[in-house]
Structures are given as C-alpha cells and as structure tokens.
Amino acid sequence: MPSADEAALEKFEQLKISSDVKEREFSHHATGVARLNHGSFGSCPASVQNAEAEWRDKWSKQPDSFMVHRMEDAILESRRAIAKVINSPTVNEVLLVDNVTTAAAMVAQDLMWGFLEGRYQQGDAVLLLNFAYVSIKTCFQRLAAQVGARLIYAKIPFPISSPSHALESFRHCLTQAREEIQERVIRIAVIDHITSSPSILLPVKDMVSLCRSHGVEQVFVDGAHAIGNVDVDVQQIDADYYTSDCHKWFFSPSQVAFFHCKSKHLDSLHHPLVSTTHGQGLAAECASVGSRDYSAQLTVPAVAEFIQRETGGLEGLRRFNHESAVAMGKFLAKEWGTACGSPAEMATSMVMVGLPPVLNVRSFDEGLQLNARLRKEFQVEVPLHHVPEEDQDAADEVTKIPAITAYARISHQIYNNREDYLQLRDAIQYIVRERDKLHIHAYLCGRDAELVGLSLMEGRQTEATDEKNETVSTLFSLETLLVTAAAIVGFQITPLIQSQVKASCLRKVLTIPVRNG
C-alpha cells in the first residue's frame, strides 16, 4: 500500500490536462524556475498575448476609427463574457477596471462624500478583516482618517480548522462591534472571498448574510483571487459590490479586473480618474479614462476561448488546479513533518503549507529574507506567511504541531509539474540541514559553551570556521559530539547545554557533509 506522500504524487501525476500546454502557451517563462506564486501576478498564455497584440495593432493603424467604431463594442463584449462567468443579472452591473484597488477607490470615494455631505456621521464605522490586502486596507484607512470614520477589524484565525471556525469568529466580531459603536452605523464591511496571505477560502455568502443581520449597511467583497479559481456567483453572494482581478487566475493580461455593482448604487459611483465621460454613467467612465492602451481589456473573449480549448471549461480548470494544489500541499507537509494551514475545503488553487519549525521565522522581515533566498539561490518563487508570536499558541492548537512559525503559499496552474514542487521541497530541506549544521558548528567552535547553549535555545545562528567542517561529518553519535566539543573548548558539559544540543535534533545531520563557503 503506497504511503501518503506516494499517494499524493500518484494523484498529482493523474491530473493532467495537456502535456504540451507549457511549451505551446507558456514558453516565455524563465527556464529552471519553479513558479509556485501564480496568485500574485498570474501568467498570460501566448495565444491571449497574441490577441492583445492584434487589438493594439488595430488601434495603432487608425486610432480615430478604432475609438469611434470599434472600442465601445469590444469593451461590451468583454463585459458580457465576464457577466456570463459570474452570473450577473445584467451586463449593466459589470464594469471593467484596471485592478481591484480601483474598484475599492470608487467605493471609498462614495463613502467619503457620504460623510462630507452629512449623510453619515463621525463615529460611523468601516469594518475590515485582519487579513485584508494591504492596498485595500490602506484605501479605507485613508478614508477613515479624512472623515473621522471608525475602523473595526474582524479577526479570522489562522491556521483554521473549518468554515464554521471562520464564521463563528466573524459573528463574534460583528456582535462585539455592534456593542462598541452603540447607536452608530457600520456603513460598510470589506470582506475577502479568498484572503491573500494567508490564503483562505472564506464562506463569503454566509458572511454577507451575517453582515445584513447585524445591520451593516453595505458589503464590499474583495475577490481578487476568485475568478478562474473558485465559482463566483454574484447573485448568490448578494454583496453590494464584488470585484476580482482577471490577471491572477483568469489568464488575462495585467490591467484587467471586473467590478460588479448592484444597480441601485451605479448612479452614486464615479471613476476616480475624471475624464471626458464623467457624468455619463459609470460604464462610460470606466470604459474611457483618457488616451491609453485598452487592448488588455479587449482580450476577455480570447481568454474564455483559451480556457475552453485547453481545459474544457472553467469548472474543470478549477477542479484540476484545486486537486493538484491540495495533493502537493499534503505531499510537502509530509516531507517536512508539518501540516497545512487549512482543510482542503478552505483551500483553492493555493494551499498554505507549514515550514519546518527549525527554520524559526520570527518576523515578517525574516520571511522576506527567506523568500529572497529561495528565489536567488534555489530559483523558487513562493510567498511566505509569518505567524505572529501572539497567535502561536492558537495556531499550535489547530495544527497539533508546535512552533510552525511560517507557511509557504504554494499554487498550481496548468503549466506546473511535479518537479516544481520537488524543487521547493529540496530547497527547504537543504536550508533545514544547513541550519542544523550551523548549530553544531556553533557548539564546536564557541569559546563560551554556556553562551552557545543559550544561543541554541533562542534559535540564533553562530558562524563556524571552515576548519571544523570535516569534523562535523565524522561525528556519529551525540555522545561523541559532546565529548569532542568538551575537548575543543575545554570545559565540562552542563545539563543545560546537553539538553539544548538534543533539542537541536542533531542526530539527523551528523553524517551529512557540510558545504564549504
């Protein structure tokens, strides 16, 4: 019977759409790079890039004719294609914008006018999730600072055990918020369909319903990672506003996002860039923001054609990527002796996989440093999420594995293969072995053994001299290590130091040669 990791690899190998799609559509990718961060920037296939170039060429040949006779109809076709995917009751509620941040700016601008015109009062609130994306959070923080709105943060736990875990936490925050603001009103709740870091698929429909039942006036859903990744049905979700980037999981070029706005709000919103179409309706304002390249926004029909041709449709694509990501997440967690940060039902085409505790990532900045090293030294692109110290006990309770201080957000798209995930696995395992060997070096070369013992306890690294590299690889037992260390530094081993050396898990690296340099 195959082991869990073997089963995961076997499952992954069975999930194939087309063996040559990477060569045909994604040959522009850098060779040798494990691209496991599709969620941040996506990747536009060659056929869609060609469609974009054709639109740009038509514009370049005769811009006057293009703007007057082609542009409006082409934009409308893209809006119709999006409306069909998201089950919008009418194309009039679907607008094309550059990105999710633009959609948020439109809504925040309308809220600002509500305060300035006296429709809202100082102390009325804006509710955000603790994991709100930085640009969205900043947008509404700026609004609050300008008009005196109160900011409320609803905490979603991570790691997380179930959708009900998220709902109960959100319900508690809403109830507490209502008690705190008393007679004031929560004017808008800004919630995520899929949080970015950490990546969690939230029960957004139920969360919108909770907002309604707690007197929240409007709901804005940031679905940046949603279209092409999970099913998006704006009628079922029933938010006032829903927006998603098409370049992430829908294969479009950059500068393509949709904004769904319920009809009752259309007249009150305006594009933040004022152009000649200002006042002609939000659709007109979004479709023309001055002389610029609109070719990316005209490619949505080509994107839909690519998805149908290569995957048989969005449903099959989503299922393929989800199952592949989950299989690889389980495999990596098994290899590293850790756990995933959420159950499969709360993962999408992105999965949070715990990094080995020995890496001891203690801050956001340390996570960035490790991320940079993976990119530069091992050619692996993968974002990392750090668990704050104040959340560590709760995190350990969920995973049942203590001291997982950071998670890798792996993703899967149709161009990924098994080797990409093995490249990440091997890179992390190399760094783990290196970290353990640094602990041995510190022990062997330290002049003050008590200090070295404390350094090991605190997870610090002490540089070792190259002369001791070969010594480390010849030590075959913990007892030999302790005796040798005592002889080198000339002191008696204390119980404190002995316990800290044991805690560093030295046995598994005693016979591994150390890389010089």
Side-chain angles (χ1 to χ4, degrees):
M1 187 174 184
S3 65
D5 55 326
E6 290 171 340
L9 284 173
E10 183 179 353
K11 174 69 173 175
F12 179 78
E13 291 298 331
Q14 294 170 355
L15 296 167
K16 292 297 181 186
I17 287 182
S18 176
S19 59
D20 66 341
V21 68
K22 185 172 183 178
E23 289 72 23
R24 287 186 293 104
E25 294 283 359
F26 300 100
S27 60
H28 52 281
H29 288 186
T31 57
V33 177
R35 289 178 61 133
L36 302 179
N37 184 24
H38 188 86
S40 287
F41 305 106
S43 181
C44 184
S47 57
V48 178
Q49 291 184 31
N50 291 338
E52 181 185 16
E54 289 176 8
W55 282 115
R56 188 179 298 113
D57 186 54
K58 291 174 183 177
W59 155 266
S60 299
K61 285 181 177 179
Q62 194 176 2
D64 296 80
S65 176
F66 185 87
M67 288 296 292
V68 174
H69 302 296
R70 300 291 299 276
M71 177 76 167
E72 185 176 349
D73 289 342
I75 286 284
L76 183 58
E77 284 305 305
S78 286
R79 292 169 59 204
R80 283 174 175 157
I82 294 292
K84 181 178 179 180
V85 170
I86 66 174
N87 192 30
S88 175
T90 171
V91 71
N92 296 333
E93 295 183 346
V94 178
L95 300 313
L96 293 182
V97 292
D98 286 355
N99 47 48
V100 162
T101 308
T102 303
M106 284 193 279
V107 175
Q109 179 178 254
D110 180 56
L111 282 170
M112 181 183 70
W113 280 110
F115 282 96
L116 294 177
E117 294 170 351
R119 290 181 282 124
Y120 308 149
Q121 305 299 317
Q122 284 194 356
D124 285 351
V126 174
L127 184 142
L128 297 158
L129 299 186
N130 57 318
F131 292 133
Y133 190 67
V134 175
S135 63
I136 304 302
K137 186 183 296 185
T138 303
C139 178
F140 287 96
Q141 285 174 338
R142 181 170 176 265
L143 160 74
Q146 289 176 323
V147 300
R150 180 169 184 169
L151 283 175
I152 298 172
Y153 293 96
K155 185 169 184 176
I156 301 297
F158 179 83
I160 195 162
S161 59
S162 66
S164 61
H165 190 185
L167 276 178
E168 286 307 310
S169 180
F170 189 61
R171 178 184 287 108
H172 172 76
C173 291
L174 281 172
T175 301
Q176 189 175 46
R178 290 300 317 155
E179 294 174 353
E180 289 178 0
I181 66 173
Q182 298 179 356
E183 296 180 0
R184 297 268 63 84
V185 179
I186 301 177
R187 293 297 177 182
I188 193 167
V190 181
I191 60 180
D192 296 75
H193 195 162
I194 305 167
T195 57
S196 176
S197 181
S199 179
I200 310 169
L201 174 61
L202 294 175
V204 66
K205 178 185 174 182
D206 293 331
M207 291 172 72
V208 171
S209 180
L210 278 176
C211 288
R212 306 290 190 206
S213 66
H214 283 74
V216 177
E217 194 168 83
Q218 298 180 29
V219 182
F220 177 98
V221 175
D222 175 1
H225 286 276
I227 188 169
N229 193 0
V230 296
D231 181 41
V232 178
D233 188 325
V234 294
Q235 292 192 67
Q236 285 192 6
I237 293 170
D238 195 34
D240 296 87
Y241 315 103
Y242 189 104
T243 183
S244 185
D245 285 319
C246 297
H247 72 268
K248 291 182 181 292
W249 294 98
F250 197 62
F251 294 113
S252 82
S254 300
Q255 296 182 335
V256 187
F258 78 83
F259 175 46
H260 178 266
C261 173
K262 283 191 172 182
S263 297
K264 64 182 180 180
H265 299 302
L266 286 172
D267 290 341
S268 62
L269 297 185
H270 293 281
H271 197 283
L273 293 180
V274 178
S275 188
T276 56
T277 54
H278 181 77
Q280 298 178 23
L282 190 58
E285 291 183 18
C286 291
S288 180
V289 291
S291 297
R292 48 161 287 180
D293 184 2
Y294 293 92
S295 56
Q297 295 187 348
L298 309 183
T299 63
V300 177
V303 171
E305 181 183 343
F306 167 82
I307 292 172
Q308 187 64 40
R309 180 179 70 248
E310 297 295 341
T311 71
L314 266 179
E315 183 179 353
L317 172 66
R318 292 192 300 258
R319 183 173 61 252
F320 167 70
N321 281 333
H322 170 69
E323 292 180 358
S324 299
V326 168
M328 287 297 93
K330 291 180 178 179
F331 166 72
L332 290 172
K334 174 73 174 179
E335 291 288 287
W336 295 336
T338 61
C340 294
S342 71
E345 63 184 317
M346 301 186 78
T348 58
S349 303
M350 300 180 288
V351 175
M352 303 300 295
V353 187
L355 296 179
V358 70
L359 295 181
N360 193 24
V361 177
R362 294 167 295 178
S363 68
F364 176 79
D365 287 342
E366 285 192 10
L368 290 180
Q369 292 168 12
L370 178 56
N371 175 267
R373 185 180 178 193
L374 288 169
R375 177 185 304 113
K376 294 176 181 179
E377 186 173 340
F378 300 97
Q379 297 291 290
V380 174
E381 295 283 7
V382 65
L384 305 179
H385 172 77
H386 166 251
V387 178
E389 185 177 357
E390 61 268 22
D391 295 336
Q392 193 65 60
D393 289 343
D396 294 349
E397 183 63 27
V398 173
T399 62
K400 308 303 181 186
I401 300 174
I404 299 177
T405 60
Y407 287 75
R409 190 190 77 183
I410 66 166
S411 62
H412 186 275
Q413 190 48 275
I414 58 176
Y415 55 74
N416 286 118
N417 55 40
R418 177 174 178 257
E419 285 67 32
D420 294 330
Y421 303 93
L422 297 180
Q423 194 168 331
L424 171 61
R425 179 201 65 180
D426 294 345
I428 293 297
Q429 289 180 338
Y430 180 92
I431 296 171
V432 167
R433 291 195 300 268
E434 183 181 70
R435 184 69 56 89
D436 283 343
K437 286 180 284 188
L438 282 171
H439 287 176
I440 301 174
H441 287 182
Y443 188 86
L444 290 174
C445 303
R447 295 182 180 180
D448 187 335
E450 291 282 359
L451 179 59
V452 171
L454 291 173
S455 296
L456 289 171
M457 180 173 63
E458 295 172 4
R460 298 173 183 159
Q461 297 182 23
T462 305
E463 290 188 3
T465 57
D466 290 339
E467 294 87 279
K468 297 301 183 293
N469 285 346
E470 292 185 3
T471 304
V472 175
S473 63
T474 62
L475 299 176
F476 297 103
S477 69
L478 181 59
E479 292 74 16
T480 303
L481 170 65
L482 295 174
V483 171
T484 305
I488 290 174
V489 300
F491 73 98
Q492 184 174 359
I493 303 292
T494 66
L496 170 64
I497 296 173
Q498 184 173 350
S499 66
Q500 296 309 321
V501 173
K502 288 181 178 178
S504 298
C505 304
L506 301 181
R507 288 187 185 276
K508 62 183 179 181
V509 296
L510 288 176
T511 59
I512 299 173
V514 179
R515 185 183 69 164
N516 288 318

